[in-house]
Amino acid sequence: VSREMTIPIMRGGRIAAIIGVGNKPTPYDEADVAAAARYADFAWEIVERKRVEETLRCLATSFASLSGKAFFDAAAQRIAEVLFVDMALIAQHAPGSPSLSVLGVAGLGGALVADEIPIARSPFRDVASGGEPTYGDGLGELFPEDELVSATGSRSLAVRVLGRSGEKTVIAAAMDSRPMAASTERLDATIGLFKDRVLAEIARAEAERALEDLNAGLVARLRERSLELERAAKLAMLGRLVAGIAHELSTPLTAISSAVESLGESMGKCIPGLPGFFGGASREEILLFSRLVSALLSNKGARDQAELRARKRRWRAVARVCGIEGADGAIEMLAEIGDDPTDVELTEMLRLPRGPEVIGKAFLIARSVRASSLIGAASEKAARTVRALKTYAHDAPSDRLEEV
């Protein structure tokens, strides 16, 4: 290289690039410098236009599939790359809030940025009033207590308001450890490229949160309604269960009450007269009484109602043939006792002087025995009902449930 000339390309008060030429046969002069500077500026305009086109392409393609924090981080990364700054962030501020809510951040020092940035004594304090604070240099001296400025070593800051989302102000900010021009077309143009997409993404995220809140409310109401229906079903089932229990217990208790009344009546009529009866009874009467009691205890004879009716008709016919008057009551009691005498035995029973009285005494004992048996059966049914309830209450396996 015999000769060389290097021309810096200045943007925003900083060297964005350099262009060099060499080996001119004659020395370079001011005209060469001016011509090279014009060519360099022209070339850099082409580069910047290509960068803008690339940014637009990214917005149209790769950014289209992003949403939420991933989109905001990618947008901040692209802003930082296009502006050649250390760090860029996108945030929003709600009226009265003491801090910025960071939506996305990228670049050197991005990991040091918290989700909330206090603005009271920070370079972002004018954002609360809708301002666009811009500091070309000296951030560290102006805001020595700001943790973000100290942690990132930033010297310059440029903030642009992208718009409003409801009552919130949405901003994009660029921070750098080198001086930055107070206002440049490139800064405004670059951040402006993301304005509509950022605001649309915020609106989409807010709509999604509103939909999630609505869905959560619907799920909560559905769960509450399901619980109400479940409680109603349980109450209905409990009502049916109580009605069934009442029926299952009412039937045997009614039978027990009736049997106790019958037993008391029969014993009241039978027992007081037994001593006198046996004292004056003949041998035939005592034998008849013993026979009837034995038939009662052995449950002799059929209990089918049709057969009993046929038996009583036959016995009445025998009594009429034998000329025995007033035997219908004794025949009814004899059938209730359960004895099945032959025609001859029936005639002898009815012709005894106190035959009907003997049959009556045996009938009262039969009523007492049957009432006692009914009480036992009804008590057992009630006991089975109670045992089944105890089993149900203790969640016993189905093979332990008893059939009532």
Side-chain angles (χ1 to χ4, degrees):
V1 178
S2 59
R3 293 181 179 84
E4 179 182 3
M5 181 177 64
T6 302
I7 305 296
I9 301 175
M10 305 298 294
R11 290 293 185 272
R14 297 182 300 169
I15 298 176
I18 60 173
I19 184 171
V21 295
N23 295 336
K24 181 182 177 183
T26 61
Y28 292 101
D29 53 21
E30 292 298 329
D32 295 326
V33 172
R38 286 195 299 272
Y39 283 118
D41 287 339
F42 178 71
W44 191 249
E45 291 296 333
I46 295 175
V47 170
E48 288 191 329
R49 187 168 63 252
K50 291 294 184 180
R51 287 183 179 274
V52 172
E53 292 175 355
E54 177 65 16
T55 299
L56 291 173
R57 187 188 66 79
C58 288
L59 283 173
T61 56
S62 60
F63 285 9
S65 61
L66 299 177
S67 62
K69 186 170 178 14
F71 164 77
F72 294 120
D73 286 345
Q77 179 66 41
R78 194 62 185 168
I79 291 174
E81 290 174 354
V82 173
L83 296 179
F84 296 104
V85 294
D86 295 338
M87 184 174 66
L89 61 86
I90 298 173
Q92 61 183 4
H93 178 262
S97 174
S99 61
L100 286 175
S101 297
V102 177
L103 302 175
V105 62
L108 298 176
L112 302 175
V113 180
D115 293 337
E116 298 288 330
I117 301 177
I119 63 175
R121 291 186 297 274
S122 80
F124 294 98
R125 61 190 177 188
D126 292 339
V127 172
S129 57
E132 295 181 330
T134 300
Y135 301 92
D137 198 359
L139 272 183
E141 292 76 15
L142 293 173
F143 303 96
E145 298 180 3
D146 186 78
E147 296 182 359
L148 179 60
V149 173
S150 300
T152 58
S154 298
R155 293 177 56 186
S156 57
L157 167 71
V159 175
R160 294 295 183 269
V161 175
L162 297 178
R164 300 184 67 85
S165 175
E167 296 183 350
K168 298 178 180 179
T169 302
V170 183
I171 67 162
M175 301 182 71
D176 199 61
S177 59
R178 295 160 296 181
M180 185 187 308
S183 175
T184 64
E185 294 181 0
R186 184 161 56 92
L187 174 65
D188 295 334
T190 302
I191 294 180
L193 291 174
F194 294 87
K195 176 181 177 179
D196 293 338
R197 181 67 175 88
V198 168
L199 294 178
E201 178 59 26
I202 293 175
R204 185 206 63 78
E206 291 178 349
E208 183 176 335
R209 283 193 297 270
L211 182 61
E212 290 176 353
D213 293 341
L214 176 61
N215 183 62
L218 291 175
V219 170
R221 287 195 291 273
L222 177 61
R223 185 180 297 109
E224 182 179 355
R225 182 58 178 163
S226 299
L227 291 176
E228 290 177 358
L229 293 175
E230 184 178 350
R231 285 193 293 268
K234 288 181 178 179
L235 288 175
M237 182 168 54
L238 181 60
R240 292 193 296 271
L241 177 63
V242 171
I245 293 171
H247 173 73
E248 291 297 330
L249 290 178
S250 176
T251 301
L253 291 177
T254 301
I256 290 173
S257 176
S258 176
V260 168
E261 182 179 353
S262 176
L263 178 61
E265 180 183 355
S266 299
M267 297 302 292
K269 292 180 179 179
C270 178
I271 293 178
L274 283 180
F277 168 74
F278 283 111
S282 64
R283 180 176 178 277
E284 289 80 7
E285 292 169 345
I286 292 175
L287 290 175
L288 174 57
F289 184 81
S290 298
R291 170 185 174 145
L292 295 178
V293 171
S294 298
L296 169 66
L297 296 178
S298 62
N299 197 23
K300 182 180 178 182
R303 300 300 300 168
D304 181 72
Q305 294 300 314
E307 184 177 346
L308 285 178
R309 288 193 295 270
R311 185 181 298 174
K312 286 187 285 186
R313 287 195 297 271
R314 178 171 60 83
W315 289 346
R316 292 189 188 99
V318 171
R320 285 195 298 272
V321 171
C322 296
I324 302 174
E325 301 292 336
D328 287 348
I331 289 174
E332 289 290 337
M333 291 187 288
L334 189 62
E336 184 67 23
I337 291 171
D339 194 16
D340 187 16
T342 64
D343 294 350
V344 175
E345 292 172 335
L346 176 66
T347 302
E348 292 176 351
M349 292 178 185
L350 297 177
R351 283 179 172 172
L352 285 174
R354 294 196 299 173
E357 183 180 356
V358 173
I359 295 173
K361 296 290 183 183
F363 171 73
L364 291 176
I365 294 176
R367 284 184 60 186
S368 300
V369 171
R370 292 208 170 90
S372 176
S373 176
L374 179 60
I375 290 172
S379 299
E380 177 58 26
K381 183 173 183 179
R384 288 200 303 271
T385 301
V386 173
R387 286 196 299 269
L389 287 175
K390 288 182 178 179
T391 305
Y392 176 81
H394 287 84
D395 295 327
S398 58
D399 57 354
R400 290 178 54 189
L401 295 178
E402 298 186 28
E403 181 180 354
V404 179

